C-alpha cells in the first residue's frame, strides 16, 4: 500500500507530484501516464503503483518490481527543450533520484551512464524515458523503478543488483523518499542546463575510470572522461576523445 498523502505532505514542488494517481496494481505506470494524456493532465502528473506487472525496461527489457517493496512511478514532463536535448531529462532524473535517496537515507548512490542508479557497484534502480510528439508538442513520460525494501532479488539479477534495504540494513519508507526525489528533480529542472551536466558528472561512478564500452557490435576499451553538454559520453580511446550518444558502459 502506498499513501499518496504522505508523498504530498513532504513536497516542496510547485508542479511535480501535485496530482497523483495510485493503482494497487497495474501493467506499467509509463503506459498509465500515456493513457491519462487523453484527460488533458498537467505537467507533473504522477502515477504510482505497489505492484507493476508488465514493467518496461530499457532496450526492450522487462523491469521486475516486488509488490510492497519497490518504488515504481512515472510522471509527465512537457519540456521546453528542443527534441535533440530531451535526453538530458533522464540524466537529471538520475541525479534527482540519487540526491533524494541520499537526503532521506544517507546512502550515497552513484550513476552509471546514461542513468542507472548504482549503490556499492550494483544496480539499485533504473529510468525509462519515453517521448512523443502530439500536435506539435513534445511530451515525455519519465519512469523510475527503485529496489527499496527487497530482501532478496530474483536469482537472474542478484549478482549485479541490490536494494536500499539490503545496504542500509533497515526498512525505508517509500513515500517521503519519493517526495525528496521530486523536490530535487524540480529544483534541477528549473536550473541552468550547465548545472545539469555538472551535477550528472559529479554523481558518475566511473568518471575518469577505465571502462569497457559496448557500442553496436563493438566492445571498446577506454577511459570515460565525462559527459558533454548534450549528455553524450566522452570516451578517451588510445589518447583520442570520442563522443557517443548510445552504448553500454561495463564497470570493471
Ligand atoms: C532500466 O531498464 O534500467 C529502466 C527501468 C525503468 C522501469 C520503470 S518502473 C516505472 C516505469 N514503468 C515502466 O513500465 N517502466 C518504468
Amino acid at each position: 500500500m502506498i499513501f499518496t498523502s504522505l508523498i504530498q505532505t513532504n513536497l516542496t514542488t510547485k508542479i511535480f507530484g501535485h496530482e497523483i494517481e495510485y493503482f494497487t496494481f497495474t501493467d506499467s505506470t509509463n503506459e498509465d501516464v500515456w493513457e491519462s494524456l487523453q484527460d488533458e493532465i498537467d505537467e507533473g502528473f504522477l502515477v504510482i503503483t505497489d505492484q507493476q506487472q508488465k514493467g518496461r525496461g530499457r532496450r526492450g527489457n522487462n523491469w521486475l518490481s516486488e509488490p510492497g517493496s519497490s518504488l515504481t512511478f512515472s510522471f509527465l514532463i512537457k519540456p521546453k527543450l528542443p527534441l535533440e536535448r530531451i535526453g538530458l531529462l533522464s540524466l537529471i532524473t538520475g541525479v534527482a533520484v540519487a540526491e533524494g535517496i541520499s537526503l532521506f537515507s544517507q546512502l550515497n548512490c552513484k550513476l552509471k551512464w546514461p542513468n542507472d542508479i548504482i549503490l556499492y557497484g550494483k544496480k539499485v534502480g533504473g529510468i525509462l524515458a519515453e517521448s512523443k510528439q502530439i500536435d506539435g508538442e513534445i511530451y515525455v513520460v519519465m519512469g523510475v523503478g527503485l529496489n527499496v525494501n527487497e530482501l532478496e532479488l530474483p536469482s537472474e539479477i542478484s549478482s549485479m543488483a541490490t536494494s536500499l534495504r539490503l545496504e542500509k540494513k533497515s526498512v525505508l519508507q517509500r513515500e517521503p523518499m519519493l517526495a525528496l526525489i521530486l523536490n530535487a528533480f524540480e529544483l534541477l529542472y528549473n536550473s541552468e542546463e550547465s548545472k545539469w551536466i555538472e551535477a550528472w558528472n559529479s554523481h558518475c561512478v566511473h568518471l575518469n575510470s577505465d571502462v569497457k564500452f559496448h557500442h553496436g557490435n563493438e566492445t571498446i576499451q577506454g577511459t570515460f572522461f565525462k559527459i558533454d553538454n548534450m549528455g553524450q559520453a566522452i570516451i578517451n580511446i588510445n589518447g583520442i576523445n570520442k563522443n557517443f550518444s548510445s552504448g553500454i558502459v561495463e564497470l570493471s
Side-chain angles (χ1 to χ4, degrees):
M1 178 81 191
I2 294 275
F3 296 97
T4 55
S5 58
L6 256 185
I7 302 169
Q8 286 172 323
T9 49
N10 287 284
L11 284 177
T12 55
T13 58
K14 284 202 167 72
I15 295 174
F16 292 91
H18 281 266
E19 218 183 312
I20 300 182
E21 183 139 25
Y22 167 63
F23 294 112
T24 43
F25 62 90
T26 190
D27 281 350
S28 158
T29 54
N30 267 34
E31 195 48 48
D32 293 328
V33 176
W34 285 125
E35 281 172 13
S36 303
L37 257 189
Q38 294 160 353
D39 307 329
E40 296 202 3
I41 49 170
D42 291 324
E43 181 168 55
F45 173 82
L46 185 137
V47 172
I48 185 163
T49 188
D50 209 19
Q51 190 172 348
Q52 183 169 254
Q53 294 163 327
K54 288 188 187 157
R56 306 205 277 251
R58 293 179 61 228
R59 295 182 290 275
N61 292 326
N62 299 327
W63 181 262
L64 302 171
S65 310
E66 192 182 305
S69 293
S70 309
L71 186 53
T72 309
F73 64 96
S74 304
F75 57 94
L76 181 73
I77 309 174
K78 295 183 181 175
K80 287 148 212 73
L81 291 169
L83 203 53
E84 65 274 13
R85 298 185 73 74
I86 58 171
L88 293 172
L89 295 172
S90 52
L91 297 177
I92 59 165
T93 305
V95 174
V97 170
E99 287 181 352
I101 292 172
S102 159
L103 262 179
F104 186 72
S105 69
Q106 286 75 51
L107 287 166
N108 189 16
C109 285
K110 296 279 182 186
L111 301 172
K112 178 168 91 72
W113 189 81
N115 45 31
D116 282 352
I117 320 294
I118 304 292
L119 188 53
Y120 302 123
K122 292 183 169 185
K123 182 160 171 168
V124 72
I127 293 167
L128 178 71
E130 296 173 328
S131 57
K132 285 185 191 172
Q133 203 161 3
I134 304 168
D135 297 332
E137 249 206 279
I138 301 169
Y139 296 87
V140 176
V141 172
M142 193 62 70
V144 179
L146 258 184
N147 302 331
V148 180
N149 288 321
E150 291 84 346
L151 275 173
E152 228 179 355
L153 292 151
S155 56
E156 63 271 28
I157 55 164
S158 61
S159 62
M160 45 200 183
T162 189
S163 75
L164 300 179
R165 180 177 179 181
L166 283 171
E167 306 301 336
K168 178 85 182 164
K169 315 266 184 275
S170 62
V171 174
L172 290 102
Q173 202 178 14
R174 291 170 290 172
E175 295 92 335
M177 187 165 66
L178 169 55
L180 297 189
I181 291 170
L182 294 171
N183 295 345
F185 178 83
E186 189 167 296
L187 266 180
L188 263 171
Y189 184 57
N190 290 333
S191 69
E192 284 168 31
E193 281 178 40
S194 60
K195 287 253 170 7
W196 300 4
I197 305 297
E198 224 177 87
W200 192 91
N201 280 323
S202 73
H203 282 85
C204 176
V205 68
H206 47 71
L207 205 73
N208 292 316
S209 301
D210 291 338
V211 293
K212 262 192 198 153
F213 188 69
H214 303 276
H215 185 251
N217 294 329
E218 266 186 302
T219 300
I220 300 157
Q221 197 86 42
T223 308
F224 190 99
F225 180 40
K226 59 179 183 177
I227 57 165
D228 67 11
N229 65 0
M230 295 291 292
Q232 300 190 91
I234 308 176
I235 305 196
N236 189 287
I237 305 158
N238 299 324
I240 297 166
N241 281 345
K242 271 192 84 176
N243 297 38
F244 294 89
S245 60
S246 65
I248 301 170
V249 173
E250 186 183 325
L251 301 176
S252 43

